[in-house]
Amino acid sequence: MASVSSWRVDWVNLLRFDYWLDPQSAQRPASALVWGFAVVSAACAGAWLVLVAQRRVARWQGLALALAFGMSSLVALGRALNIPVLGARVGWLGAALVGLAPFGVRWAQQAHREGVWRDLLNAVAFAPARKGGDWSARTAFAWIALHGVGLCVVAVNLNLPIAVGVGLWASLGVIWGAGALCRALRGMPLERWQLSAFAPLGWAYLATVLFFAGFRVEGVLNGVFSPLLALIVSGALSLVLALRGLAGVLWRAKEDAAFVTAGAAALAAATLGWSVWTAHALRAHGVAGSDPYAYAQMGIDLVTRGSVLHPFPLAEIAYRLVIPVYPVVHVGYRLPDPVTLEAATVWPPGYAVFTGTAYALFGEDGLYWVTPVVNLLALLVVGALALAATGGRSAKSIAVAALAVALSATSLEQVRWQMVPMADLAVQGLTALSLTLALSANGSPWRTLLSGLCLGAAFDVRYTQVLAAPAVALAIYLGSPKRAAWLIALCAGGAWLAALPVLAYHLAVFGNPFVTGSEELAHFSLALAPETARQALVALGSHREFGLLAPWMAIGVAAAWRAHRRALVVFALVIGILGGFHALYPYLRLRDLLFLFPMLSWLAALGMVSSFTALLRRATLLRAALVFSLSFVMVLRSMETLALPVTRGFEVFGRLIREQRAALDQLSALTSPDAVVGCSLNSGAVALYARRQTFRPAGWSADALLRFVGALHEAQRPVFILDDGEEMAGVLSLLRQRYLVRPVRQLSLPFYDAVGGGSKSRQVWLYQ
């Protein structure tokens, strides 16, 4: 049994580069059999020389074999005599390659006569099907065998199971075999040239050799020469080419159009499936911070109390003591009313309908699934927007739509903000749906009305989306100029109808339908706009966002100007007005611009498809290079994001993982119901999950803090401090000067930075 195992290991080692290149191999003791091997190899070399001299074999073939056996004999002598350079194991590999060289040359010559090289280039370039001629059985067999060995070599040197290489090789063979069987049943030619689907794998072999030879490229482009990525990209391309060949049998007429449509549908379905998997793996198990907590709390209050206002009972003490009231409310809430002690958030109330409905139907888990579901719906709208912008239902339009969905879904920012109950993706979906309906209305009153309703709903979720109204109106006008006036009025009526509940909320809470809870306009700065815009462009230019897609977006703009000018002008108006307005806000974050991503993804997708179709039926070499470029761009941009469900290398503000959510249940068990907890940005989470009233002590002066804690003690209410942020160090130091502060337990919770609100998971102390 041990003998069989050792032989198995030896055979696998024969595929490893480090085995052949091991510099210590010549210094290891050699058995006596090496002498015999040296003698036999020398005799074989001499025999081949004799055959060459007698002209019994081809001169170049005999000389190559004689040289190969001679090299083998010298390596064996080097091993026997312990000569380091001469006895290196790599010499035997070199001898084998020299001996096989004549056969390789003969195969290459025959392949050239049979048109193999042209077929390989045409395959990678997705060129039209070949007419006439085919490969011989010998050529096809050698081609298949070459890739069987090559894939095993790549897999073994990447420390992957050899089954990975064998599995990919077998899969390609099975697909070709299925096509061959279909051809036989239909009386069609065998078409061994369809085996050219293996052609892209050549890049995986080259990348593997270069990598182990020490070749590197700095930056993200190093991934192009990564053996693993090269195997993924070239393997995927080979599978697509093999399936295209099979499709050519199943769909004889217009096979490329049908294949593109089916491939686009598969890409969209795979993208949505990955999004569901990602949401399941990375979704929040609780919310903290400011925005994520407040959006969840507004929804809960809406369905449990009938209002998005939230009560803050501790505000009564602050008002009575005449100290600042803000530290007794959660970040993101306004000051409570002195009589009702209820406060509104600074954010629009529209998303509370989403979070509240999810909470009413599915409880706490619904809060954490609502935004992933909204993300899926938004991605479907992205596809619809791309179809509406491109026009028609052609294979090209469907391909653009599927690519736009994939590019949007794999944006890191898109993934990050679907994991907490935030409004950004609802804004994206509603804005895109309004534009989709406006572009596709073409005089339809119902679509025009629905477009307005969606625009009004987008305003309910984020006030700034009202600035998309000119673009929506332009889309309606360009679709039906003669009826534009009343259609635009109808759209505006729908928008007002959808916005009425929020305007009524403003009137009831702030005394004016056009006054909002936000005070951000005070921060807007025209002088800082260039720097804000620059930072936004830098963030958009990340390789995980749109940086690698920039060339294709430029091509997309040119293609849209020629064929889809209406959509381009409408999108440009949205980007110009809304993008310009947001540039005035110095605290702009990339998530604030998520509503622009569908339009940017459409431009990139249109550029990709247009650049390929422009080269169709000509410039085969250039088109093949384009196929590889597109494939690697997609992978380099998305590889880290696609791996998130496995790597879980993921952080987002306000997201609580399972252990942190459980820690809040522990905090509830450690404190009495009348306890008050001082903390930082976890104040909302403690109040929501531990059901304890909270305050943020770092927001007070020393005197105000001591007076507040004293009032709590007078009311005989236990006071706890959660050391969950850098700002809490000074608070604890002050309280220790006046009170006995004892540690209770460490809890796994976010620990917040003093500046910027960033956090990291940490064991934080709860003190009493």
Side-chain angles (χ1 to χ4, degrees), residues 640-662:
E640 297 166 277
T641 305
L642 291 172
L644 283 176
V646 176
T647 63
R648 296 179 182 263
F650 186 85
E651 288 294 336
V652 64
F653 177 72
R655 168 179 171 264
L656 298 181
I657 60 176
R658 194 186 302 273
E659 294 77 12
Q660 293 168 336
R661 174 65 183 85

Side-chain angles (χ1 to χ4, degrees), residues 33 41 49 140 300 319 357 368 383 449 572 581 621 722 739 749:
L33 293 176
S41 296
L49 287 174
I300 294 172
Y319 280 125
T357 302
Y368 316 133
L449 177 62
F581 179 80
L621 182 60
L722 193 62
Y739 298 101
L749 287 170

Side-chain angles (χ1 to χ4, degrees), residues 524-748:
F524 276 53
S525 170
L526 183 60
L528 296 176
E531 176 59 20
T532 303
R534 186 194 67 80
Q535 292 177 1
L537 289 173
V538 169
L540 282 170
S542 163
H543 75 277
R544 298 179 75 171
E545 298 299 344
F546 292 94
L548 294 174
L549 302 178
W552 314 113
M553 292 169 65
I555 297 172
V557 169
W561 181 255
R562 289 195 304 270
H564 314 291
R565 192 169 301 178
R566 176 188 174 204
L568 179 64
V569 172
V570 170
F571 291 170
L573 197 59
V574 175
I575 295 170
I577 295 177
L578 276 161
F581 179 80
H582 281 79
L584 299 173
Y585 182 54
Y587 305 110
L588 179 67
R589 292 146 297 188
L590 190 55
R591 68 176 177 83
D592 297 326
L593 301 176
L594 272 171
F595 65 90
L596 296 179
F597 283 29
M599 290 166 271
L600 300 179
S601 296
W602 174 72
L603 287 173
L606 181 64
M608 291 176 173
V609 174
S610 298
S611 60
F612 181 80
T613 54
L615 296 175
L616 203 60
R617 300 183 183 278
R618 62 178 182 271
T620 306
L621 182 60
L622 185 58
R623 192 163 67 250
L626 177 65
V627 168
F628 268 102
S629 299
L630 289 173
S631 302
F632 272 103
V633 162
M634 294 286 286
V635 171
L636 290 174
R637 176 183 183 264
S638 307
M639 59 183 179
E640 297 166 277
T641 305
L642 291 172
L644 283 176
V646 176
T647 63
R648 296 179 182 263
F650 186 85
E651 288 294 336
V652 64
F653 177 72
R655 168 179 171 264
L656 298 181
I657 60 176
R658 194 186 302 273
E659 294 77 12
Q660 293 168 336
R661 174 65 183 85
L664 292 168
D665 289 334
Q666 293 176 0
L667 189 152
S668 180
L670 293 169
T671 57
S672 59
D674 62 339
V676 180
V677 180
C679 47
S680 64
L681 275 172
N682 283 315
S683 65
V686 172
L688 177 60
Y689 302 119
R691 297 173 300 283
R692 300 294 179 261
Q693 293 179 24
T694 61
F695 64 100
R696 295 180 294 106
W700 277 315
S701 66
D703 177 68
L705 174 58
L706 292 175
R707 290 174 61 195
F708 184 81
V709 174
L712 291 174
H713 280 162
E714 288 178 8
Q716 297 185 344
R717 301 190 67 175
V719 180
F720 292 80
I721 298 294
L722 193 62
D723 186 15
D724 62 342
E726 293 178 352
E727 63 183 16
M728 301 301 292
V731 170
L732 285 165
S733 176
L734 174 65
L735 292 175
R736 285 190 174 104
Q737 297 174 21
R738 180 70 63 89
Y739 298 101
L740 173 64
V741 178
R742 68 176 184 86
V744 178
R745 180 176 295 181
Q746 282 188 311
L747 302 171
S748 176

Side-chain angles (χ1 to χ4, degrees), residues 167-507:
L168 178 56
W169 178 74
S171 298
L172 292 168
V174 167
I175 295 172
W176 178 82
L181 179 61
C182 290
R183 291 185 189 92
L185 293 175
R186 294 184 177 186
M188 299 168 64
L190 184 58
E191 293 187 350
R192 297 187 187 93
W193 65 267
Q194 294 279 7
L195 289 168
S196 55
F198 283 88
L201 294 171
W203 184 259
Y205 309 149
L206 177 61
T208 302
V209 171
L210 290 175
F211 181 83
F212 285 94
F215 180 80
R216 299 290 189 277
V217 175
E218 294 297 326
V220 68
L221 291 179
N222 185 51
V224 176
F225 297 94
S226 162
L228 180 59
L229 283 182
L231 179 62
I232 293 172
V233 172
S234 59
L237 272 177
S238 292
L239 287 170
V240 170
L241 288 171
L243 290 170
R244 178 175 179 254
L246 181 59
V249 182
L250 301 178
W251 303 316
R252 297 188 186 185
K254 300 181 180 179
E255 66 234 31
D256 275 343
F259 178 70
V260 168
T261 302
L267 175 62
T271 299
L272 296 176
W274 171 83
S275 294
V276 173
W277 176 35
T278 304
H280 181 268
L282 301 178
R283 67 182 175 87
H285 291 273
V287 287
S290 51
D291 318 33
Y293 157 74
Y295 280 115
Q297 186 67 67
M298 279 195 290
I300 294 172
D301 286 334
L302 181 63
V303 297
T304 59
R305 303 179 62 250
S307 169
V308 296
L309 304 180
H310 188 67
F312 292 94
L314 292 180
E316 185 274 331
I317 299 176
Y319 280 125
R320 176 163 46 85
L321 296 174
V322 195
I323 60 175
V325 180
Y326 190 58
V328 299
V329 302
H330 312 309
V331 175
Y333 275 86
R334 295 168 60 90
L335 294 181
D337 181 272
V339 177
T340 65
L341 302 181
E342 292 182 335
T345 71
V346 299
W347 293 288
Y351 199 60
V353 175
F354 292 81
T355 54
T357 302
Y359 182 78
L361 294 175
F362 305 107
E364 185 181 327
D365 277 347
L367 289 174
Y368 316 133
W369 272 107
V370 61
T371 313
V373 171
V374 168
N375 173 65
L376 290 175
L377 296 175
L379 291 176
L380 293 175
V381 174
V382 169
L385 178 63
L387 285 174
T390 311
R393 296 294 183 271
S394 65
K396 177 181 177 180
S397 298
I398 294 172
V400 170
L403 277 172
V405 170
L407 293 174
S408 293
T410 52
S411 156
L412 177 61
E413 202 71 5
Q414 184 91 8
V415 174
R416 283 166 58 86
W417 297 108
Q418 66 174 290
M419 299 309 166
V420 287
M422 296 279 282
D424 303 277
L425 292 173
V427 172
Q428 180 190 83
L430 289 168
T431 305
L433 185 55
S434 179
L435 291 169
T436 300
L437 291 165
L439 286 170
S440 61
N442 296 322
S444 166
W446 286 109
R447 291 199 177 195
T448 302
L449 177 62
L450 288 173
S451 176
L453 288 170
C454 290
L455 181 61
F459 165 81
D460 293 342
V461 176
R462 182 181 292 165
Y463 300 129
T464 54
Q465 297 314 107
V466 71
L467 296 176
V472 173
L474 178 63
I476 293 170
Y477 170 78
L478 293 176
S480 182
K482 294 181 179 180
R483 307 168 63 196
W486 83 272
L487 287 173
I488 292 174
L490 181 63
C491 179
W496 274 100
L497 182 64
L500 276 178
V502 169
L503 297 177
Y505 161 79
H506 292 162
L507 179 63

